[in-house]
Amino acid sequence: MDSKDMQVIGLCRFSYPAQGGFQVEHDSDAARMAYLWSSERMEERFRTFQSFTLPAMRAQTDPDFTFLIVIGDQMPKVYKDRLRDLLGNFPQAVLQEHAPGPHRQVMKDAINSVRQNRPAPSLQFRMDDDDAVSVRYVECLREAAQDLRQLLRKNRHVAIDFNQGWIARPGPDGLMVKRTVEPLWTAGLAISVKPAAQNTIMNFGHSKLARHMPVVSFTGEDMFLRGHNDHNDSRQKKRGVRQFDLAPITPDEAEFFRLNYNIDVDTVRALYA
């Protein structure tokens, strides 16, 4: 079993109106769609997707991956067209439209629909539309899987947790940032899935993966970036919202972001001006 034979699949939910899966729920599909697709929120999501998520995925040092973006089938056409334009000349991108449905089941079906018939496990990761991964993420994920090939052979699922990265808040002044080490945060987290297994990374709560499978953590290289903004799902709650002490990005850090995440601070400023 060679990691080169493993299909790497990344899932990004772009304001998909799932039934469940949100920390703050809504009374109906219509209410959820009205919230998710409000003009203010969508402008924010497009900015982070355009300045964080896409640049990093386009610049992967290992281009052999599938990047699946799931949207609602009733998303306004203006946003669908805008998203398709952003995904132009990005051959790894697959855009799927789905009706509102049970969150885990819809995502499971979406991921399995792009899985190829390979004898090796698939490597699956997930991210929101305001997250990013290192430009070496796919490369490092394959390296980790190769190092763990005996463990992957013995288990239906194995979690590979790149737990070191950054929190970043974009704005007209650029970025406010903080380096962090956090276990089982979604943007740096992946699982291997044996060919016969149907459950995907979306069938498990990320913070509880160790209840279901071996978890191997990798520290020492910044691999994820978690977006921090007023429209984060968790920040809609009235209580218990975790606060982070962010600081203005330094010139050295800005250069690091450019090299490691393909994120340009000047582009962020321009998008938020």
Side-chain angles (χ1 to χ4, degrees):
M1 180 175 64
D2 193 306
S3 65
K4 293 180 181 179
D5 299 325
M6 300 179 187
Q7 183 187 7
V8 176
I9 303 170
L11 171 73
C12 178
R13 298 160 299 168
F14 193 94
S15 297
Y16 169 71
Q19 296 169 353
F22 291 99
Q23 295 192 42
V24 175
E25 292 294 345
H26 301 87
D27 294 333
S28 65
D29 291 343
R32 187 177 302 108
M33 288 186 284
Y35 164 72
L36 290 176
W37 300 334
S38 66
S39 59
E40 180 184 2
R41 185 182 182 281
M42 289 300 286
E43 287 303 319
E44 174 74 18
R45 306 320 278 191
F46 271 104
R47 289 189 189 107
T48 53
F49 190 67
Q50 188 174 347
S51 60
F52 283 7
T53 310
L54 279 183
M57 293 310 302
R58 287 182 180 274
Q60 289 297 304
T61 54
D62 181 345
D64 183 14
F65 64 93
T66 301
F67 190 52
L68 174 62
I69 302 99
V70 174
I71 63 174
D73 62 349
Q74 298 177 59
M75 176 183 278
K77 183 177 183 298
V78 63
Y79 296 136
K80 289 183 183 180
D81 291 344
R82 186 172 172 183
L83 189 55
R84 291 190 182 99
D85 287 342
L86 286 176
L87 298 176
N89 300 317
F90 186 12
Q92 295 93 339
V94 176
L95 182 64
Q96 288 189 1
E97 300 181 22
H98 290 270
H103 176 241
R104 295 197 186 281
Q105 184 62 47
V106 173
M107 296 303 131
K108 172 183 175 180
D109 292 343
I111 291 174
N112 284 334
S113 74
V114 299
R115 285 175 66 181
Q116 300 165 355
N117 185 22
R118 298 192 186 187
S122 63
L123 303 174
Q124 303 173 5
F125 65 97
R126 56 182 285 192
M127 60 200 314
D128 290 328
D129 48 24
D130 58 354
D131 294 330
V133 292
S134 164
V135 297
R136 283 183 12 93
Y137 184 81
V138 174
E139 176 185 355
C140 291
L141 183 55
R142 289 191 191 280
E143 289 177 355
Q146 187 68 21
D147 292 341
L148 299 173
R149 57 189 181 277
Q150 293 296 334
L151 191 63
L152 270 59
R153 183 176 288 113
K154 294 178 181 178
N155 294 273
R156 291 173 67 84
H157 301 91
V158 175
I160 300 172
D161 181 26
F162 293 105
N163 60 15
Q164 182 174 312
W166 293 75
I167 305 165
R169 182 183 182 97
D173 295 325
L175 293 172
M176 301 286 289
V177 300
K178 176 182 175 61
R179 186 179 251 128
T180 188
V181 176
E182 298 282 351
L184 300 176
W185 269 17
T186 54
L189 179 65
I191 69 169
S192 71
V193 181
K194 275 196 169 185
Q198 292 300 302
N199 280 341
T200 71
I201 190 169
M202 297 305 298
N203 290 104
F204 305 95
H206 62 89
S207 63
K208 300 176 182 178
L209 278 179
R211 298 182 182 182
H212 305 283
M213 65 190 72
V215 176
V216 182
S217 296
F218 291 84
T219 310
E221 182 174 353
D222 293 332
M223 296 299 292
F224 70 81
L225 184 149
R226 182 180 181 184
H228 186 272
N229 58 75
D230 292 336
H231 293 285
N232 289 125
D233 179 39
S234 60
R235 296 184 67 78
Q236 307 312 307
K237 296 186 295 184
K238 302 301 182 183
R239 295 182 180 179
V241 177
R242 186 175 175 186
Q243 302 295 327
F244 298 98
D245 186 17
L246 308 182
I249 195 167
T250 67
D252 287 345
E253 290 169 343
E255 178 64 8
F256 176 83
F257 268 52
R258 185 184 68 81
L259 295 174
N260 196 66
Y261 296 110
N262 196 34
I263 291 174
D264 181 74
V265 177
D266 289 336
T267 299
V268 174
R269 291 192 188 98
L271 285 170
Y272 280 84

